Amino acid sequence: MNRMAVLQLSVAMAIFGSVGFFSERTGLPALELVFVRCICAAVFLCAAWMATGHFKREKWDVREGMLISFCAVANLLNWIFLFKSFELISVTIAISLYHLAPIIVLIIGSFIFRERLSLFSILAISLCFIGTLLIMGTDGFQSSSPEWEGIMYGIIAAFFYAATMLLGKSITKTSVYATTFLQMFIGFLLLLPFVDFHAYTTLHASQWFYTVLTGIVHTGVVYLLFFNSIRHLPTNVVSFMIFVDPAVAILLDILLSGFVPNMVQIFGISLIFLGMIYSLMTTRPTENEVMQKRPHTM
């Protein structure tokens, strides 16, 4: 297994696990926050693309250009529907629904990439998903009148998240710098006609700080690592590594907010790490099938 790719994906998911902590402090609605994320990430990724000199060695491919465009749209909708679900339902329900994405990826990826979906992979992903439900708690599911619109947004976000992972794994010729920059730029263009620019006039300096930080670090850096790593990893490894995100979110709650997990949540965290470790130990290195298309390094 490509250890560097595993490390990059782990770092990306660990950083992204704190996005909720920072996005809450921006004071922006979902669409306007996503818009700024696209701008900040596009500037950062374009600078990285130029600084590394990859733009001089770029080999453009029409098919990959279409894949990048589709991936950009899927990623944009993934963000919008996720943040919209946060506005309508509790974060516990939204995140739980959102983490249906790895299961969707495993099922679809087994057909698209012809990667064998073993019983052990299904077991490992199931442990991770059950663990996610447990660490998010059950309070959010006890509402007598659930917001079905928010629930649907969460499910739709999971599908677009899965589509982003699958499409991103299919992009192998275009550099990761060009891929991520173009995705952010396309997202910027698509959102431009719908943004309420008055939302930015009331932001304080601290809110701008969190907004820009979320755009550069949680978007630019994370997606650079994310899209580079998933090119070199089997679909099942990508799927279970996504669960680093909620694990980090829980740890931040404990360390920064003074939240103390109950026994059920502790058990959930244990299941997540058990599933990840078990999958790492039982997954055979199949990334060579992807690398045969064209090796790529940062």
Side-chain angles (χ1 to χ4, degrees):
M1 185 180 300
N2 191 319
R3 294 183 180 180
M4 181 56 67
V6 172
L7 177 61
Q8 289 178 352
L9 185 57
S10 299
V11 172
M13 290 299 97
I15 295 174
F16 195 71
S18 65
V19 69
F21 175 80
F22 287 94
S23 62
E24 285 181 351
R25 287 155 176 78
T26 64
L28 286 173
L31 193 145
E32 282 69 31
L33 176 58
V34 172
F35 182 70
V36 176
R37 291 181 68 179
C38 286
I39 295 176
C40 293
V43 172
F44 170 80
L45 293 167
C46 182
W49 189 29
M50 296 296 176
T52 56
H54 277 76
F55 71 98
K56 298 178 181 179
R57 304 187 297 272
E58 212 66 63
K59 294 182 179 180
W60 301 105
D61 181 88
V62 175
R63 175 182 174 276
E64 290 223 339
M66 295 180 63
L67 285 174
I68 291 172
S69 299
F70 290 140
C71 191
V73 174
N75 184 45
L76 184 66
L77 293 173
N78 151 45
W79 284 350
I80 292 175
F81 281 113
L82 176 62
F83 286 119
K84 287 295 294 182
S85 68
F86 285 157
E87 294 176 357
L88 297 173
I89 58 178
S90 69
V91 173
T92 58
I93 298 177
I95 289 294
S96 298
L97 293 171
Y98 192 56
H99 282 82
L100 289 171
I103 294 178
I104 298 171
V105 168
L106 266 185
I107 297 172
I108 299 177
S110 64
F111 293 100
I112 295 178
F113 302 110
R114 298 181 181 179
E115 295 175 356
R116 295 183 61 183
L117 190 61
S118 68
L119 178 62
F120 299 110
S121 295
I122 296 175
L123 176 61
I125 291 297
S126 298
L127 287 174
C128 289
F129 183 66
I130 293 172
T132 300
L133 294 179
L134 293 177
I135 65 175
M136 295 303 172
T138 58
D139 292 343
F141 296 94
Q142 296 175 356
S143 175
S144 58
S145 56
E147 298 290 342
W148 291 106
E149 185 179 356
I151 291 174
M152 290 305 300
Y153 282 153
I155 295 174
I156 294 172
F159 273 98
F160 282 118
Y161 188 17
T164 300
M165 286 189 280
L166 290 169
L167 288 168
K169 184 175 172 63
S170 303
I171 301 169
T172 58
K173 297 179 181 179
T174 311
S175 76
V176 67
Y177 299 98
T179 299
T180 50
F181 164 68
L182 289 174
Q183 287 176 354
M184 297 304 108
F185 186 70
I186 291 171
F188 161 77
L189 292 178
L190 291 176
L191 287 180
L192 188 58
F194 307 102
V195 174
D196 178 13
F197 290 96
H198 293 290
Y200 303 115
T201 60
T202 59
L203 295 184
H204 304 298
S206 62
Q207 291 174 314
W208 272 114
F209 170 76
Y210 287 117
T211 300
V212 174
L213 185 68
T214 301
I216 295 176
V217 177
H218 293 87
T219 312
V221 174
V222 164
Y223 275 77
L224 195 62
L225 295 173
F226 178 82
F227 283 102
N228 185 67
S229 62
I230 64 176
R231 297 181 179 200
H232 310 305
L233 294 172
T235 308
N236 58 338
V237 174
V238 173
S239 297
F240 76 76
M241 289 302 294
I242 300 304
F243 289 95
V244 172
D245 172 0
V248 169
I250 286 294
L251 291 176
L252 284 178
D253 266 346
I254 297 172
L255 297 175
L256 300 179
S257 304
F259 172 73
V260 179
N262 56 38
M263 292 304 296
V264 174
Q265 291 170 322
I266 292 174
F267 181 60
I269 294 173
S270 301
L271 283 181
I272 284 180
F273 285 101
L274 177 63
M276 290 192 296
I277 293 172
Y278 184 71
S279 186
L280 277 172
M281 293 175 60
T282 57
T283 300
R284 296 182 179 275
T286 59
E287 71 272 8
N288 290 334
E289 295 177 5
V290 179
M291 295 293 287
Q292 287 175 357
K293 296 178 181 178
R294 179 188 173 185
H296 175 79
T297 56
M298 289 284 286

